[in-house]
Structures are given as structure tokens and as C-alpha cells.
């Protein structure tokens, strides 16, 4: 660049010398016309050169947008969008043309904008900054992102700010899964210790209560026995939670397992004026899942019992089993009372339940079983409408979905 400017200066000096010689040889109106024309020429060449340098600078800036593997947008020092690459267009759900002039904080939630303004101001002063936030896309959806602001330098001068957004949704989910697994492990150890401590005295208490019951003093013994049995049930669930699981995995047709459990629960469902309806997508009978049969059946049993018990006035439990990419998708929907919105994010925690006699451990164990089988369990619910449980389990390679 210095060499180019040197040549330009030398050429300018030569033109100026020639101009001075020619101007000296002329006189009158002709000399005035020549001076005006030569000035226009010199300033025109200078303006053209400056324009070319500016175009080169802008091309370099936009070159980074094109080659970057991240979603990048270019902003002025005042925070107005100048350009963005295709990845950023996809991230925001808009085009560079439509976003031109938009403020850098427009894509962030209100609660994060003060932090974004502070970070942008520091980047404009030469200090790169990054933070986690949510990107508000043009279609109204949002995605978890890491936002980085980096100063744009030209001739050792800051002329703008790059905004780089990285989708961290999967990373965040992995962190949450890790935290949940660590919490489960800690709770499991604690649960096993508690269960062992209370089982022995419970056995003794139950024995004496049975003796009292047989001797004819049964006024309160029935209630006491039922409560002792309930504590015993909780102790067994705690032991199941704390016991290390050594699964013996086999390839099983998931549809058959689900049908067997649905048949088993049907008898209880009939007592609650409830029916179970099973729907299957074509070819799903051949879907094989690597699993421990008893554990997967336990999950289905827990969910179906919860569905039936959630409908005291009766209703229909709909089970739909189908394909979803490399997974089998089991959808169990009831028409029950639903789950309050503030409880939904906490489902799966120990002793969190909406049932009067529940412990919350059954759902917690179900989450753990599905995760240990490489699957995923999610729950949707609306009060007064019902609850839908989604189970996704990976299908064995030779049980691929049919072409549709």
C-alpha cells in the first residue's frame, strides 16, 4: 500500500511540474482555462484513488463476512447494520437488505439490551466482548446464542464493529443434561442410604401392627398398616433410584412392548371410565429398539397410570407410535386435568408431584431410564385440556423407516 501511494505521489509531482511549465508558456484566457482544466484533472484523479481505496476497504470487510464460518454482521460505530453474511441472515430469519440500518440490539430481548450496549461500546473502543443471550428471530421464535462484538480496524483506526452470533442451543441442552445427571447421582446415593436406614424398623413395626390387628384391636391398625406400606413403597422406590443400573440390552419390537402394557392397563382404565386407543403408523411393527424390556415397560406403565389417574371423570388416552428420523416417537396424550405451567419445567425432580398420594419418584426414574437408553422424554401440558408425553428412542439400523 505504501509503495502504491509512493508511485501516486511521484506521478502527481510530475503532473504538477508539467502543469507549471505549460502554465508559464501560456498567457491570458488560454492560461486560465488550462489551469482550471488541470486542477479538475488532478483532483479528479485524487478523488478516484481515494474512492478505490475506500472500495478496497469495504471489499476486505465484506470478504470476512463471506469467508467466516460463523454468523457475522457489520455495524457502524453508531450501531447501525451495514451488512451481514448468509449465516447471519439464516440466524435472524431476514435478509441483509431488510436489516440494513437496524440497531445491533434489536435482535436481543429487552432484559439483555443494557448489557449489549455496554459490550458494543467497549468493542467500539477496541476491546472485544462476548456474552450469552437469546436471538429474537424475525418469525417470533428465539434461539440461545453467544454474542461477540469485535472492533473493525482500518489503518489502525476503528471504523466499525463486527457482531458474531453462535448458536449454543445444543451446548446449553448438554450442560443441563450433565447437571441433571449429576443431581440424579447425588440424589441416588442419598436415597439409597435413607431407604436402608428406614426399611429395618419398618419391618419390625409392621410385624407388631399385624399382631395388634389379629388380637382384635383393629380400630386404628388398618390405617397404620396402610401408612407403613406406603412408607415401604417409597423406600423401595428410593432403593431403585439409588441402585446402579446394569442393563442387559436386547433388540425388541417397541410397538409390541407398548401394546402389552396398554392391554395390562386397560383393566384399571375401565374402572375409571377410561379407554386406551392405540394408533400405529405403517411399518412401525418392525421398528426394533435396543433396550431392557422390563425397564422400558416400567416407563410405559408409569406414564399410562399417570394418564388414567389424571382423568377422574373418565376420557380417552391416545397412544400414537410412529417414525421420527432415526428414532421411534411414542406420543401418549390424555384428556386430564393438566399440569400447572409453573411446575412443567421442574418435572422429574424428586418428590415433585401433582397427585395427593404421589412421590414424584416414578417420573424421575422414567426420565433416567429413557436417557440411559439414549432417548429423550418431553412433556407438554395445558390445565383443563390434558397432558402429552413424548418419548423418542433410537431405532436399530436394520429397522429403518419406510419410504413415504
Amino acid at each position: 500500500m505504501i509503495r502504491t501511494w509512493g508511485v501516486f505521489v511521484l506521478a502527481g509531482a510530475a503532473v504538477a511540474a508539467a502543469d507549471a511549465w505549460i502554465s508559464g508558456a501560456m498567457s491570458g484566457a488560454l492560461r486560465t482555462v488550462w489551469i482550471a482544466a488541470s486542477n479538475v484533472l488532478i483532483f479528479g484523479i485524487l478523488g478516484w484513488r481515494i474512492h478505490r481505496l475506500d472500495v478496497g476497504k469495504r471489499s476486505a470487510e465484506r470478504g470476512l463476512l463471506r469467508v467466516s464460518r460463523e454468523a457475522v454482521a457489520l455495524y457502524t460505530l453508531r450501531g447501525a447494520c451495514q451488512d451481514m453474511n448468509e449465516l447471519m441472515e439464516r440466524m435472524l430469519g431476514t435478509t441483509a437488505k431488510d436489516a440494513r440500518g437496524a440497531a445491533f440490539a434489536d435482535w436481543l430481548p429487552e432484559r439483555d439490551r443494557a448489557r449489549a450496549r455496554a459490550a458494543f461500546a467497549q468493542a467500539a473502543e477496541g476491546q472485544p466482548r462476548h456474552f450469552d443471550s437469546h436471538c429474537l428471530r424475525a418469525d417470533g421464535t428465539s434461539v440461545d446464542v453467544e454474542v461477540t462484538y469485535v472492533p473493525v480496524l482500518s489503518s489502525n483506526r476503528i471504523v466499525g464493529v463486527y457482531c458474531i452470533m453462535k448458536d449454543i442451543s445444543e451446548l446449553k441442552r448438554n450442560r443441563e443434561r450433565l447437571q441433571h445427571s449429576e443431581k440424579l447421582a447425588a440424589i441416588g446415593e442419598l436415597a439409597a442410604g435413607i431407604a436402608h436406614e428406614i426399611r429395618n424398623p419398618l419391618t419390625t413395626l409392621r410385624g407388631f401392627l399385624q399382631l395388634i390387628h389379629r388380637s382384635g384391636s383393629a380400630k386404628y391398625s388398618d390405617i397404620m398398616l396402610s401408612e407403613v406400606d406406603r412408607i415401604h413403597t417409597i423406600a423401595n422406590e428410593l432403593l431403585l433410584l439409588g441402585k446402579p443400573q446394569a442393563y442387559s440390552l436386547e433388540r425388541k419390537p417397541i410397538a409390541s412392548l407398548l401394546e402389552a402394557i396398554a392391554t395390562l392397563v386397560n383393566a384399571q382404565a375401565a374402572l375409571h371410565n377410561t379407554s386406551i386407543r392405540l394408533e400405529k403408523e405403517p411399518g412401525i411393527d418392525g421398528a426394533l429398539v435396543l433396550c431392557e424390556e422390563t425397564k422400558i415397560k416400567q416407563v410405559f406403565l408409569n406414564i399410562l397410570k399417570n394418564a388414567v389417574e389424571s382423568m377422574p371423570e373418565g376420557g380417552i388416552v391416545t397412544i400414537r407410535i410412529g417414525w421420527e428420523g432415526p428414532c421411534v416417537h411414542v406420543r401418549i396424550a390424555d384428556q386430564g386435568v393438566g399440569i400447572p405451567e409453573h411446575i412443567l419445567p421442574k418435572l422429574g425432580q424428586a418428590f415433585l408431584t401433582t397427585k395427593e398420594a404421589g412421590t414424584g419418584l416414578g417420573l424421575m426414574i422414567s426420565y433416567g431410564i429413557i436417557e440411559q437408553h439414549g432417548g429423550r422424554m418431553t412433556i407438554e401440558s395445558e390445565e383443563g385440556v390434558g397432558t402429552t408425553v413424548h418419548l423418542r428412542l433410537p431405532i436399530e439400523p436394520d429397522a429403518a423407516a419406510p419410504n413415504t
Side-chain angles (χ1 to χ4, degrees), residues 134-147:
H134 297 277
C135 171
L136 304 178
R137 305 181 76 251
D139 61 4
T141 60
S142 67
V143 60
D144 294 312
V145 291
E146 180 185 71
V147 182

Side-chain angles (χ1 to χ4, degrees), residues 254-266 269 274-281 284 299-305 307-308 311 315-322 328-335 387-391:
I254 194 70
S256 298
L257 300 183
L258 192 52
E259 282 183 83
I261 294 299
T263 302
L264 182 66
V265 177
N266 249 328
T274 300
S275 60
I276 296 177
R277 184 168 62 200
L278 180 63
E279 301 173 355
K280 297 187 292 183
E281 289 186 10
I284 200 65
V299 172
F300 291 151
L301 185 61
N302 284 342
I303 295 170
L304 285 173
K305 283 179 66 179
V308 171
M311 298 186 291
I316 300 173
V317 178
T318 303
I319 305 171
R320 181 169 179 80
I321 179 168
V328 62
H329 180 194
V330 178
R331 177 180 174 274
I332 302 174
D334 63 51
Q335 299 170 334
T387 300
T388 302
V389 179
H390 298 273
L391 299 167

Side-chain angles (χ1 to χ4, degrees), residues 99-275:
R100 187 179 298 277
F104 65 92
D106 285 354
W107 308 104
L108 303 175
E110 191 68 40
R111 64 178 182 275
D112 289 341
R113 291 184 182 179
R115 180 169 54 166
R117 282 190 285 269
F120 189 94
Q122 288 176 306
E125 293 173 357
Q127 303 174 42
R129 286 290 180 269
H130 72 271
F131 58 92
D132 292 350
S133 183
H134 297 277
C135 171
L136 304 178
R137 305 181 76 251
D139 61 4
T141 60
S142 67
V143 60
D144 294 312
V145 291
E146 180 185 71
V147 182
T148 303
Y149 293 127
V150 180
V152 181
L153 298 175
S154 178
S155 302
N156 295 323
R157 203 165 51 87
I158 299 173
V159 295
V161 173
Y162 286 123
C163 172
I164 304 169
M165 283 192 184
K166 184 177 181 180
D167 187 341
I168 59 170
S169 301
E170 188 60 33
L171 178 63
K172 196 169 181 181
R173 280 194 292 270
N174 289 336
R175 285 177 188 164
E176 290 172 354
R177 289 190 193 113
L178 179 60
Q179 289 172 354
H180 184 64
S181 298
E182 291 173 348
K183 190 186 294 184
L184 276 178
I187 291 173
E189 291 179 12
L190 179 63
I194 294 171
H196 280 296
E197 288 299 320
I198 66 175
R199 283 186 83 186
N200 289 336
L202 274 176
T203 303
T204 306
L205 282 171
R206 199 177 195 286
F208 280 111
L209 282 170
Q210 284 176 316
L211 288 174
I212 294 171
H213 185 75
R214 288 171 189 167
S215 66
S217 303
K219 186 176 180 181
Y220 301 110
S221 60
D222 287 337
I223 298 173
M224 294 169 70
L225 278 168
S226 67
E227 288 303 300
V228 168
D229 287 340
R230 174 169 152 69
I231 297 171
H232 196 272
T233 301
I234 293 172
N236 286 335
E237 288 183 339
L238 285 170
L239 275 175
L240 181 62
L241 183 64
K243 186 179 179 181
Q245 303 296 316
Y247 288 173
S248 175
L249 302 178
E250 297 178 5
R251 292 147 57 90
K252 295 289 182 179
I254 194 70
S256 298
L257 300 183
L258 192 52
E259 282 183 83
I261 294 299
T263 302
L264 182 66
V265 177
N266 249 328
Q268 181 188 356
L271 297 175
H272 290 78
N273 194 29
T274 300
S275 60

Side-chain angles (χ1 to χ4, degrees), residues 86-109:
E86 187 178 344
L87 290 173
M88 182 62 89
E89 287 180 330
R90 278 190 238 150
M91 174 78 76
L92 302 180
T94 186
T95 64
K97 182 179 178 182
D98 291 339
R100 187 179 298 277
F104 65 92
D106 285 354
W107 308 104
L108 303 175

